[in-house]
Amino acid sequence: MVHWDDFLAPYKQAVEELKVKLKGMRTQFERDHIHSPIEFVTGRVKPVVSILDKAAQKNIPLDKLDTEMQDIAGLRMMCQFVDDIRRVVELLRNRNDFEIVEERNYISHKKASGYRSYHVVISYPVQTIHGEKKILAEIQIRTLAMNFWATVEHSLNYKYKGQFPEDIRLRLKGAAEAAFHLDEEMSKIRHEIQEAQRIFTTKKDNPDF
Ligand code: 0O2
């Protein structure tokens, strides 16, 4: 039997710590007045019902959750532009407070569902009163458009339990293509957008400017 409060405690601690660290990266870009490749960061610990569902679906024994379920601790880093994703991944690779154990590129290899995102699985050392415990966490890095699509698809998936009616399936496919197109268009006018954002930020910080 899993004692969920005890089992999830280091995951909760890891998510809280990683949220502070990853949000801190954005703050550093802002302080240096450089375009931040990170728009915002979220984090969550997978709810117990979702852990149980996924374990059943993937035949993961409950005593192997810590090694075989990589996204009990989950972080998301949202970017404005597709190119920013590469920069964020580089920044993660250069850190020495965790180890990257796996990377999955669902951007160059999008999933059949239309899902696009870059996943980095890390081994993160949590300091506890009983010593250090390394836990797995998954960081999903995606653009705002990818995130919008994934959030909507996730809700519909939950509603229809993966069995989408044909019209919804087709609309989601079309929406995934539209999100891809939006990312491409935004990339093309990236410099214009960033220039406008720089002027806006300077004006906000210094109204006399
Ligand atoms: P939740 O509610 O986000 O926690 P698999 O389940 O085999 O596809 P695996 O091996 O766990 O995937 O690793 P993967 O694909 O790197 O990560 C799974 C997570 O990625 C999912 O977690 C989602 O967050 C996201 N994801 C993967 N595929 C899709 C997709 O087609 N649509 C959406 N919206 N999200 C996706 P969970 O456990 O599904 O759910």
Side-chain angles (χ1 to χ4, degrees), residues 60-120:
I60 302 175
L62 293 188
D63 59 353
K64 297 245 167 64
L65 284 176
D66 56 344
T67 52
E68 293 190 21
M69 198 173 289
Q70 298 177 320
D71 65 342
I72 293 175
L75 281 302
R76 270 186 198 143
M77 302 178 80
M78 265 56 72
C79 307
Q80 285 189 344
F81 305 102
V82 180
D83 280 351
D84 290 339
I85 295 176
R86 208 189 328 255
R87 290 189 62 207
V88 172
V89 173
E90 274 306 318
L91 289 166
L92 295 178
R93 287 184 187 141
N94 286 335
R95 292 187 70 106
N96 52 23
D97 51 348
F98 50 73
E99 198 185 318
I100 295 182
V101 294
E102 206 174 320
E103 294 185 18
R104 284 193 283 274
N105 187 345
Y106 297 129
I107 294 175
S108 48
H109 302 94
K110 71 168 182 199
K111 286 201 165 186
S113 60
Y115 177 77
R116 289 184 305 137
S117 220
Y118 197 99
H119 292 190
V120 176

Side-chain angles (χ1 to χ4, degrees), residues 44 46 54 58 104 111 113 119 140 150 153-154:
R44 63 97 184 95
K46 210 180 197 52
K54 190 164 182 170
K58 297 186 150 244
R104 284 193 283 274
K111 286 201 165 186
S113 60
H119 292 190
Q140 301 179 344
E153 197 259 5
H154 193 273

Side-chain angles (χ1 to χ4, degrees), residues 163-176:
Q163 306 294 309
F164 293 122
E166 188 56 11
D167 58 328
I168 304 271
R169 193 186 64 77
L170 287 173
R171 289 228 180 264
L172 275 173
K173 210 165 174 296

Side-chain angles (χ1 to χ4, degrees), residues 35 43 48 57 83 94 99 102 136-138 144:
H35 162 76
V48 174
Q57 238 174 54
D83 280 351
N94 286 335
E99 198 185 318
E102 206 174 320
L136 292 175
E138 183 177 79
L144 298 170

